[in-house]
Structures are given as C-alpha cells and as structure tokens.
Amino acid sequence: MALAFLNPSRSFDTARNAVRFVGHDGMFEVLFFVEVGALAKSYTALQSSGVSETRWLSSFDALRTSIHDAAHKAYSHRRRPSYTLTAADFR
C-alpha cells in the first residue's frame, strides 16, 4: 500500500516543539512530526515574531502539500513507525 493522509487533523506537540500529524499505510498508522524550525524556514513571516501554537498550526496548514511531499519522500527511504521532518527535508 501507499502512504496516505486520510485524516487532516494535526496538533502541536509542546514536548517535541513540533506539529504532529498522521499518515496511513494500509492498516498501519505512521506518526510524523514537523519541527517548528522547518516551518519557520519555510514560512519566513514567522521567523521574526513570537509565535503561538495557533500560528504554527496555521503555518502547517499553509504548507500542507509540501509537508506531505516531504513525508512521502522520508517514508519511501525507510519504513519506521515515526518520522521527524526538519528543515533539511524541505531543501
């Protein structure tokens, strides 16, 4: 099966300082995290201001397509139960 993002929900994980979202490969759930540093580098308006959880989630929503593309790429290299996407994954 291929990786799919059937559920559009996402949440902010304070402990990881990242946005969490879920992909599915058949019956398997795959967790993904996008570090806020990756969101800030991709969304330059956020770099210079104090950013709230709401703004990180909005940034994620604005970049959802490229985030899913990076998640697909990471997942295609090696199958694991979770992935953390960093700024390097968006270059």
Coordinates of all heavy atoms in Angstrom, one line a residue:
M1 N 0.8 -1.2 0.0 CA 0.0 0.0 0.0 C 0.9 1.2 0.0 O 2.0 1.2 0.4 CB -0.9 0.0 1.3 CG -1.9 -1.0 1.3 SD -3.5 -0.3 1.8 CE -4.3 -0.3 0.2
A2 N 0.3 2.3 -0.4 CA 1.0 3.6 -0.4 C 0.6 4.4 0.8 O -0.5 4.3 1.4 CB 0.6 4.3 -1.7
L3 N 1.5 5.3 1.2 CA 1.2 6.2 2.3 C 0.1 7.2 1.9 O 0.2 7.8 0.8 CB 2.5 7.0 2.6 CG 2.4 7.9 3.8 CD1 2.2 7.2 5.1 CD2 3.7 8.7 3.9
A4 N -0.9 7.4 2.8 CA -2.0 8.3 2.5 C -2.2 9.1 3.8 O -2.0 8.7 4.9 CB -3.2 7.5 2.1
F5 N -2.7 10.3 3.6 CA -3.0 11.2 4.7 C -4.6 11.4 4.7 O -5.1 12.4 4.1 CB -2.3 12.5 4.6 CG -0.8 12.3 4.6 CD1 -0.1 12.3 3.4 CD2 -0.1 12.1 5.8 CE1 1.3 12.1 3.4 CE2 1.2 11.9 5.8 CZ 1.9 11.9 4.6
L6 N -5.2 10.4 5.3 CA -6.7 10.4 5.3 C -7.3 11.3 6.3 O -8.5 11.8 6.1 CB -7.2 8.9 5.6 CG -6.5 7.9 4.6 CD1 -6.9 6.5 5.1 CD2 -6.9 8.1 3.2
N7 N -6.6 11.6 7.3 CA -7.2 12.5 8.4 C -6.4 13.8 8.4 O -5.2 13.8 8.6 CB -7.0 11.8 9.7 CG -7.6 12.5 10.9 OD1 -7.9 13.7 10.8 ND2 -7.7 11.8 12.0
P8 N -7.1 14.9 8.1 CA -6.4 16.2 8.0 C -6.0 16.8 9.4 O -5.4 17.9 9.4 CB -7.4 17.1 7.3 CG -8.7 16.5 7.7 CD -8.5 15.0 7.8
S9 N -6.4 16.2 10.5 CA -6.1 16.8 11.8 C -4.6 16.8 12.0 O -3.8 16.0 11.5 CB -6.8 16.0 12.9 OG -6.3 14.7 13.0
R10 N -4.2 17.8 12.8 CA -2.8 17.9 13.3 C -2.9 18.6 14.6 O -3.9 19.2 15.0 CB -2.0 18.7 12.3 CG -2.3 20.2 12.2 CD -3.6 20.5 11.6 NE -3.9 22.0 11.5 CZ -4.5 22.7 12.4 NH1 -4.9 22.2 13.5 NH2 -4.7 24.0 12.1
S11 N -1.8 18.5 15.4 CA -1.8 19.1 16.7 C -0.4 19.5 17.0 O 0.6 19.0 16.4 CB -2.3 18.1 17.8 OG -1.4 16.9 17.8
F12 N -0.3 20.4 18.0 CA 1.1 20.9 18.4 C 1.5 20.1 19.5 O 0.8 19.9 20.5 CB 1.0 22.4 18.7 CG 2.4 23.0 19.0 CD1 3.2 23.3 17.9 CD2 2.8 23.2 20.3 CE1 4.5 23.8 18.1 CE2 4.1 23.7 20.5 CZ 4.9 24.0 19.4
D13 N 2.7 19.6 19.4 CA 3.4 18.8 20.5 C 4.4 19.6 21.2 O 5.5 19.9 20.6 CB 4.0 17.5 19.9 CG 4.5 16.6 20.9 OD1 5.2 17.0 21.9 OD2 4.3 15.3 20.7
T14 N 4.0 20.1 22.3 CA 4.9 21.0 23.1 C 6.2 20.4 23.5 O 7.3 21.0 23.4 CB 4.2 21.5 24.4 OG1 2.9 22.1 24.0 CG2 5.0 22.6 25.1
A15 N 6.2 19.2 23.9 CA 7.4 18.5 24.3 C 8.4 18.4 23.1 O 9.6 18.5 23.3 CB 7.1 17.1 24.8
R16 N 8.0 18.1 21.9 CA 8.8 18.0 20.8 C 9.0 19.3 20.0 O 9.9 19.4 19.1 CB 8.3 17.0 19.8 CG 8.4 15.6 20.3 CD 7.8 14.7 19.2 NE 7.8 13.3 19.5 CZ 8.6 12.4 19.0 NH1 9.5 12.8 18.1 NH2 8.6 11.2 19.4
N17 N 8.2 20.3 20.4 CA 8.3 21.6 19.7 C 8.1 21.4 18.2 O 8.8 21.8 17.4 CB 9.6 22.4 20.0 CG 9.4 23.9 19.8 OD1 8.3 24.4 19.9 ND2 10.5 24.5 19.4
A18 N 7.0 20.7 17.9 CA 6.7 20.3 16.5 C 5.2 20.1 16.3 O 4.5 19.9 17.3 CB 7.4 18.9 16.2
V19 N 4.8 20.1 15.1 CA 3.4 19.8 14.7 C 3.4 18.3 14.4 O 4.2 17.8 13.6 CB 2.9 20.7 13.6 CG1 1.5 20.2 13.1 CG2 3.0 22.1 13.9
R20 N 2.4 17.6 15.0 CA 2.2 16.2 14.8 C 1.1 15.9 13.8 O 0.0 16.6 13.9 CB 1.8 15.6 16.2 CG 1.6 14.1 16.2 CD 1.0 13.7 17.6 NE 0.9 12.3 17.7 CZ -0.2 11.6 17.4 NH1 -1.3 12.2 16.9 NH2 -0.2 10.3 17.5
F21 N 1.3 15.0 12.9 CA 0.2 14.6 12.0 C 0.4 13.1 11.7 O 1.4 12.5 12.0 CB 0.1 15.4 10.8 CG 1.3 15.3 9.9 CD1 1.2 14.6 8.7 CD2 2.5 16.0 10.1 CE1 2.3 14.5 7.8 CE2 3.6 15.9 9.3 CZ 3.5 15.2 8.1
V22 N -0.6 12.5 11.2 CA -0.7 11.0 11.0 C -0.9 10.6 9.5 O -1.7 11.2 8.8 CB -1.8 10.4 11.8 CG1 -1.8 8.9 11.6 CG2 -1.6 10.7 13.3
G23 N -0.1 9.7 9.1 CA -0.3 9.0 7.8 C -0.7 7.6 8.0 O -0.6 7.0 9.1
H24 N -1.2 7.0 6.9 CA -1.6 5.6 7.0 C -1.1 4.9 5.8 O -1.1 5.3 4.7 CB -3.1 5.5 7.0 CG -3.8 6.0 8.2 ND1 -4.1 7.3 8.4 CD2 -4.1 5.4 9.4 CE1 -4.6 7.5 9.6 NE2 -4.6 6.4 10.2
D25 N -0.5 3.7 6.1 CA -0.1 2.8 5.0 C -0.9 1.5 5.3 O -0.5 0.7 6.1 CB 1.4 2.5 5.1 CG 2.0 1.7 4.0 OD1 1.1 1.2 3.1 OD2 3.2 1.5 3.9
G26 N -2.0 1.4 4.5 CA -2.9 0.2 4.8 C -3.4 0.4 6.2 O -4.0 1.4 6.6
M27 N -3.3 -0.7 7.0 CA -3.8 -0.6 8.3 C -2.8 -0.1 9.3 O -3.1 0.1 10.5 CB -4.2 -2.0 8.8 CG -3.1 -3.0 8.8 SD -3.6 -4.7 9.2 CE -2.9 -4.9 10.8
F28 N -1.6 0.3 8.9 CA -0.6 0.8 9.8 C -0.6 2.4 9.9 O -0.7 3.1 8.9 CB 0.8 0.4 9.3 CG 1.0 -1.1 9.3 CD1 1.0 -1.8 8.1 CD2 1.2 -1.8 10.5 CE1 1.1 -3.2 8.1 CE2 1.4 -3.1 10.5 CZ 1.3 -3.8 9.3
E29 N -0.6 2.9 11.1 CA -0.6 4.3 11.4 C 0.9 4.7 11.5 O 1.7 4.1 12.1 CB -1.3 4.6 12.7 CG -1.4 6.0 13.0 CD -2.3 6.3 14.2 OE1 -1.7 6.3 15.3 OE2 -3.5 6.5 14.0
V30 N 1.3 5.8 10.8 CA 2.6 6.3 10.8 C 2.6 7.7 11.3 O 1.9 8.6 10.8 CB 3.2 6.3 9.4 CG1 4.7 6.8 9.4 CG2 3.1 4.9 8.7
L31 N 3.3 8.0 12.4 CA 3.3 9.3 13.0 C 4.4 10.2 12.4 O 5.5 9.7 12.1 CB 3.6 9.2 14.5 CG 2.6 8.5 15.4 CD1 3.1 8.5 16.8 CD2 1.3 9.2 15.3
F32 N 4.1 11.4 12.2 CA 5.0 12.4 11.6 C 5.0 13.6 12.5 O 4.0 14.0 13.1 CB 4.6 12.8 10.2 CG 4.8 11.8 9.2 CD1 3.8 10.9 8.9 CD2 6.0 11.7 8.5 CE1 4.0 9.9 7.9 CE2 6.2 10.7 7.5 CZ 5.2 9.8 7.2
F33 N 6.2 14.2 12.6 CA 6.4 15.5 13.4 C 7.1 16.4 12.4 O 8.1 16.0 11.8 CB 7.2 15.3 14.6 CG 6.5 14.3 15.6 CD1 6.8 13.0 15.6 CD2 5.6 14.8 16.5 CE1 6.2 12.1 16.4 CE2 5.0 13.9 17.4 CZ 5.3 12.6 17.4
V34 N 6.7 17.7 12.4 CA 7.5 18.7 11.7 C 8.0 19.7 12.7 O 7.2 20.4 13.4 CB 6.6 19.5 10.6 CG1 7.4 20.5 9.9 CG2 5.9 18.5 9.7
E35 N 9.3 19.8 12.8 CA 9.9 20.7 13.7 C 9.5 22.2 13.4 O 9.4 22.5 12.2 CB 11.4 20.6 13.7 CG 11.9 19.3 14.3 CD 13.4 19.2 14.3 OE1 14.1 20.0 13.6 OE2 13.9 18.3 15.0
V36 N 9.3 23.0 14.4 CA 8.9 24.4 14.2 C 10.0 25.1 13.4 O 9.7 26.0 12.6 CB 8.6 25.2 15.5 CG1 7.3 24.6 16.1 CG2 9.7 25.2 16.4
G37 N 11.3 24.7 13.5 CA 12.3 25.3 12.7 C 12.1 25.1 11.2 O 12.4 26.0 10.4
A38 N 11.6 24.0 10.8 CA 11.3 23.7 9.4 C 10.1 24.6 9.0 O 10.1 25.1 7.9 CB 10.9 22.3 9.2
L39 N 9.1 24.8 9.8 CA 8.0 25.7 9.5 C 8.5 27.1 9.4 O 8.0 27.9 8.5 CB 6.9 25.5 10.5 CG 6.2 24.2 10.6 CD1 5.3 24.1 11.7 CD2 5.5 23.9 9.3
A40 N 9.3 27.5 10.3 CA 9.8 28.9 10.3 C 10.7 29.2 9.0 O 10.5 30.2 8.4 CB 10.6 29.2 11.5
K41 N 11.5 28.3 8.7 CA 12.4 28.5 7.5 C 11.5 28.5 6.2 O 11.8 29.2 5.3 CB 13.4 27.4 7.4 CG 14.5 27.6 8.4 CD 15.6 26.5 8.1 CE 16.7 26.7 9.1 NZ 17.8 27.4 8.6
S42 N 10.4 27.7 6.2 CA 9.6 27.7 5.0 C 8.6 28.8 5.0 O 8.1 29.2 4.0 CB 8.8 26.4 5.0 OG 9.6 25.3 5.0
Y43 N 8.3 29.4 6.1 CA 7.3 30.5 6.2 C 8.0 31.7 6.9 O 7.8 31.9 8.1 CB 6.1 29.9 7.0 CG 4.8 30.7 6.9 CD1 4.4 31.2 5.7 CD2 4.0 30.8 8.0 CE1 3.2 31.9 5.6 CE2 2.8 31.5 7.9 CZ 2.4 32.0 6.7 OH 1.2 32.7 6.6
T44 N 8.7 32.4 6.2 CA 9.6 33.4 6.7 C 8.9 34.5 7.6 O 9.5 35.1 8.4 CB 10.4 34.1 5.6 OG1 9.5 34.7 4.7 CG2 11.3 33.2 4.9
A45 N 7.6 34.7 7.4 CA 6.9 35.7 8.2 C 6.9 35.3 9.7 O 6.8 36.1 10.6 CB 5.5 35.9 7.7
L46 N 7.1 34.0 10.0 CA 7.1 33.6 11.3 C 8.4 33.7 12.1 O 8.5 33.6 13.3 CB 6.6 32.1 11.4 CG 5.2 31.8 11.0 CD1 5.0 30.3 11.0 CD2 4.2 32.5 11.8
Q47 N 9.5 33.9 11.3 CA 10.8 33.8 11.9 C 11.1 35.0 12.9 O 11.7 34.8 13.9 CB 11.9 33.9 10.8 CG 12.0 32.6 10.0 CD 13.1 32.8 9.0 OE1 13.2 33.8 8.3 NE2 13.9 31.7 8.9
S48 N 10.6 36.1 12.6 CA 10.9 37.3 13.4 C 9.9 37.6 14.6 O 10.2 38.5 15.4 CB 11.1 38.5 12.5 OG 9.8 38.8 11.9
S49 N 8.8 36.9 14.6 CA 7.9 37.2 15.7 C 7.7 36.1 16.6 O 8.0 34.9 16.4 CB 6.5 37.5 15.0 OG 6.0 36.3 14.4
G50 N 7.3 36.4 17.9 CA 7.0 35.3 18.8 C 5.8 34.6 18.3 O 4.8 35.2 17.9
V51 N 5.9 33.3 18.2 CA 4.8 32.5 17.5 C 4.1 31.7 18.5 O 4.7 31.0 19.3 CB 5.5 31.6 16.4 CG1 4.4 30.9 15.7 CG2 6.2 32.5 15.5
S52 N 2.8 31.7 18.4 CA 1.9 30.9 19.2 C 1.6 29.5 18.5 O 1.9 29.4 17.3 CB 0.6 31.6 19.5 OG -0.1 31.7 18.3
E53 N 1.1 28.6 19.3 CA 0.7 27.3 18.8 C -0.3 27.5 17.6 O -0.1 26.8 16.6 CB 0.0 26.5 19.9 CG -0.5 25.2 19.5 CD -1.2 24.5 20.6 OE1 -0.8 24.7 21.8 OE2 -2.1 23.7 20.3
T54 N -1.2 28.4 17.7 CA -2.1 28.7 16.6 C -1.4 29.1 15.3 O -1.8 28.6 14.3 CB -3.1 29.8 17.0 OG1 -3.8 29.4 18.2 CG2 -4.2 30.0 16.0
R55 N -0.4 29.9 15.4 CA 0.3 30.3 14.2 C 1.1 29.2 13.6 O 1.2 29.1 12.4 CB 1.2 31.5 14.5 CG 0.3 32.7 14.9 CD 0.6 34.0 14.5 NE 1.3 34.3 13.3 CZ 2.2 35.2 13.1 NH1 2.5 36.0 14.1 NH2 2.8 35.4 12.0
W56 N 1.7 28.3 14.5 CA 2.4 27.1 13.9 C 1.4 26.2 13.2 O 1.8 25.7 12.1 CB 3.1 26.3 15.0 CG 4.3 27.0 15.6 CD1 4.5 27.2 16.9 CD2 5.4 27.5 14.9 NE1 5.7 27.9 17.1 CE2 6.3 28.1 15.9 CE3 5.8 27.6 13.6 CZ2 7.5 28.6 15.5 CZ3 7.0 28.2 13.2 CH2 7.9 28.7 14.2
L57 N 0.3 26.0 13.7 CA -0.7 25.2 13.1 C -1.2 25.8 11.8 O -1.4 25.1 10.8 CB -1.9 24.9 14.0 CG -1.6 24.0 15.2 CD1 -2.8 23.9 16.1 CD2 -1.0 22.7 14.9
S58 N -1.3 27.1 11.8 CA -1.7 27.8 10.5 C -0.6 27.7 9.5 O -0.9 27.5 8.3 CB -2.0 29.3 10.8 OG -3.1 29.4 11.6
S59 N 0.6 27.8 9.9 CA 1.8 27.6 9.0 C 1.8 26.2 8.4 O 2.0 26.0 7.2 CB 3.1 27.9 9.8 OG 4.2 27.6 8.9
F60 N 1.5 25.2 9.3 CA 1.4 23.8 8.8 C 0.3 23.7 7.7 O 0.5 23.1 6.7 CB 1.1 22.9 9.9 CG 0.9 21.5 9.5 CD1 2.0 20.6 9.5 CD2 -0.3 21.0 9.1 CE1 1.8 19.3 9.1 CE2 -0.5 19.7 8.7 CZ 0.6 18.8 8.7
D61 N -0.8 24.3 8.0 CA -1.9 24.2 7.0 C -1.6 24.9 5.7 O -1.9 24.4 4.6 CB -3.2 24.9 7.6 CG -3.8 24.2 8.8 OD1 -3.5 23.0 8.9 OD2 -4.5 24.8 9.5
A62 N -0.9 26.0 5.7 CA -0.5 26.7 4.5 C 0.5 25.9 3.7 O 0.6 26.0 2.5 CB 0.1 28.1 4.9
L63 N 1.3 25.1 4.4 CA 2.4 24.3 3.8 C 2.1 22.8 3.6 O 2.9 22.0 3.3 CB 3.7 24.5 4.5 CG 4.2 25.9 4.6 CD1 5.3 26.0 5.7 CD2 4.7 26.3 3.3
R64 N 0.8 22.4 3.9 CA 0.4 21.0 4.0 C 0.9 20.2 2.8 O 1.4 19.1 2.9 CB -1.1 20.9 4.1 CG -1.5 19.5 4.4 CD -3.0 19.4 4.6 NE -3.5 20.2 5.7 CZ -3.7 19.7 7.0 NH1 -3.4 18.4 7.2 NH2 -4.1 20.5 7.9
T65 N 0.8 20.7 1.6 CA 1.1 19.9 0.4 C 2.6 19.6 0.4 O 3.0 18.5 0.1 CB 0.7 20.7 -0.9 OG1 -0.7 20.9 -0.9 CG2 1.1 19.9 -2.2
S66 N 3.5 20.6 0.6 CA 4.9 20.4 0.6 C 5.3 19.5 1.8 O 6.2 18.7 1.7 CB 5.7 21.7 0.6 OG 5.4 22.4 1.7
I67 N 4.6 19.6 2.9 CA 4.9 18.8 4.1 C 4.5 17.3 3.8 O 5.3 16.4 4.1 CB 4.1 19.3 5.3 CG1 4.7 20.6 5.8 CG2 4.1 18.2 6.5 CD1 3.9 21.3 6.8
H68 N 3.4 17.1 3.1 CA 3.0 15.7 2.8 C 4.0 15.2 1.7 O 4.4 14.0 1.8 CB 1.6 15.7 2.2 CG 0.6 15.8 3.3 ND1 -0.8 15.8 3.0 CD2 0.7 15.9 4.6 CE1 -1.5 15.9 4.1 NE2 -0.6 16.0 5.1
D69 N 4.5 16.0 0.8 CA 5.5 15.6 -0.1 C 6.8 15.1 0.6 O 7.4 14.1 0.2 CB 5.8 16.7 -1.2 CG 4.7 16.9 -2.1 OD1 3.7 16.1 -2.2 OD2 4.7 18.0 -2.8
A70 N 7.2 15.9 1.5 CA 8.4 15.6 2.3 C 8.2 14.3 3.1 O 9.1 13.5 3.2 CB 8.8 16.7 3.2
A71 N 7.0 14.1 3.6 CA 6.7 12.9 4.4 C 6.7 11.7 3.5 O 7.3 10.7 3.9 CB 5.3 13.1 5.1
H72 N 6.2 11.8 2.3 CA 6.2 10.7 1.4 C 7.7 10.3 1.0 O 8.0 9.1 1.0 CB 5.5 11.1 0.0 CG 4.0 10.9 0.1 ND1 3.4 9.7 0.0 CD2 3.0 11.8 0.1 CE1 2.1 9.8 0.0 NE2 1.9 11.1 0.1
K73 N 8.5 11.3 0.8 CA 9.9 11.1 0.5 C 10.6 10.4 1.6 O 11.3 9.4 1.4 CB 10.6 12.4 0.1 CG 12.0 12.2 -0.4 CD 12.6 13.6 -0.8 CE 14.0 13.4 -1.3 NZ 14.6 14.7 -1.6
A74 N 10.4 10.9 2.8 CA 11.1 10.3 4.0 C 10.6 8.8 4.2 O 11.4 7.9 4.5 CB 10.8 11.1 5.3
Y75 N 9.3 8.6 4.0 CA 8.8 7.3 4.2 C 9.2 6.3 3.1 O 9.4 5.1 3.4 CB 7.2 7.4 4.2 CG 6.5 6.1 4.6 CD1 6.6 5.6 5.9 CD2 5.9 5.3 3.6 CE1 5.9 4.4 6.3 CE2 5.2 4.1 4.0 CZ 5.3 3.7 5.3 OH 4.6 2.5 5.7
S76 N 9.5 6.8 1.9 CA 9.9 5.9 0.9 C 11.3 5.4 1.0 O 11.7 4.4 0.5 CB 9.8 6.6 -0.5 OG 10.8 7.6 -0.6
H77 N 12.2 6.1 1.8 CA 13.5 5.7 2.0 C 13.7 4.6 3.0 O 14.5 3.7 2.9 CB 14.4 6.9 2.5 CG 14.6 7.9 1.4 ND1 15.3 7.7 0.3 CD2 14.2 9.2 1.4 CE1 15.3 8.8 -0.5 NE2 14.6 9.7 0.2
R78 N 12.8 4.6 4.1 CA 12.9 3.6 5.1 C 11.6 3.6 5.9 O 11.2 4.7 6.3 CB 14.1 3.9 6.0 CG 14.4 2.9 7.1 CD 15.6 3.1 7.8 NE 15.5 2.6 9.1 CZ 16.1 3.0 10.2 NH1 17.0 4.0 10.1 NH2 16.0 2.5 11.4
R79 N 11.1 2.5 6.1 CA 9.8 2.3 6.8 C 10.0 2.3 8.3 O 10.7 1.4 8.8 CB 9.0 1.1 6.4 CG 8.8 1.0 4.9 CD 7.7 1.9 4.5 NE 7.7 2.2 3.1 CZ 6.9 1.7 2.1 NH1 6.1 0.7 2.5 NH2 7.0 2.1 0.9
R80 N 9.5 3.3 9.1 CA 9.6 3.3 10.5 C 8.2 3.7 11.1 O 7.4 4.2 10.3 CB 10.6 4.4 10.9 CG 12.0 4.1 10.4 CD 13.0 5.1 11.0 NE 12.5 6.5 10.8 CZ 13.3 7.5 10.5 NH1 14.6 7.3 10.3 NH2 12.9 8.7 10.3
P81 N 8.0 3.6 12.4 CA 6.7 3.9 12.9 C 6.5 5.4 13.1 O 5.4 5.9 13.2 CB 6.7 3.2 14.3 CG 8.1 2.9 14.6 CD 8.8 2.8 13.3
S82 N 7.6 6.2 13.1 CA 7.5 7.7 13.3 C 8.7 8.4 12.6 O 9.8 7.8 12.4 CB 7.4 8.1 14.7 OG 8.6 7.9 15.4
Y83 N 8.4 9.6 12.2 CA 9.4 10.4 11.5 C 9.4 11.8 12.0 O 8.3 12.3 12.3 CB 9.1 10.5 10.0 CG 9.2 9.1 9.3 CD1 8.1 8.3 9.3 CD2 10.3 8.7 8.6 CE1 8.2 7.0 8.7 CE2 10.4 7.5 8.0 CZ 9.3 6.7 8.1 OH 9.4 5.5 7.4
T84 N 10.5 12.5 12.1 CA 10.6 13.9 12.4 C 11.2 14.6 11.2 O 12.3 14.3 10.8 CB 11.5 14.1 13.7 OG1 10.9 13.4 14.8 CG2 11.5 15.6 14.0
L85 N 10.4 15.5 10.6 CA 10.8 16.3 9.5 C 11.5 17.5 10.0 O 10.9 18.2 10.8 CB 9.6 16.6 8.6 CG 8.9 15.4 8.0 CD1 7.6 15.8 7.2 CD2 9.7 14.5 7.2
T86 N 12.7 17.8 9.4 CA 13.4 19.0 9.8 C 13.5 19.9 8.6 O 13.1 19.6 7.5 CB 14.8 18.7 10.3 OG1 15.6 18.1 9.2 CG2 14.7 17.7 11.5
A87 N 14.1 21.1 8.8 CA 14.3 22.0 7.7 C 15.1 21.3 6.5 O 14.8 21.6 5.3 CB 15.1 23.2 8.1
A88 N 16.0 20.4 6.8 CA 16.7 19.7 5.7 C 15.9 18.9 4.8 O 16.2 18.7 3.7 CB 17.8 18.8 6.4
D89 N 14.7 18.5 5.3 CA 13.8 17.7 4.5 C 13.0 18.5 3.4 O 12.4 17.9 2.6 CB 12.8 16.9 5.4 CG 13.4 15.9 6.2 OD1 14.1 15.0 5.7 OD2 13.3 16.0 7.5
F90 N 13.2 19.8 3.5 CA 12.4 20.7 2.6 C 13.3 21.4 1.6 O 12.9 22.3 1.0 CB 11.6 21.7 3.4 CG 10.5 21.1 4.2 CD1 10.8 20.7 5.6 CD2 9.3 20.8 3.7 CE1 9.8 20.1 6.3 CE2 8.3 20.1 4.4 CZ 8.6 19.8 5.7
R91 N 14.6 21.0 1.5 CA 15.5 21.6 0.6 C 15.5 20.9 -0.7 O 15.2 19.8 -0.9 CB 16.9 21.6 1.2 CG 17.0 22.5 2.4 CD 18.4 22.6 2.9 NE 18.4 23.4 4.1 CZ 19.1 23.2 5.1 NH1 20.0 22.2 5.1 NH2 19.0 23.9 6.2

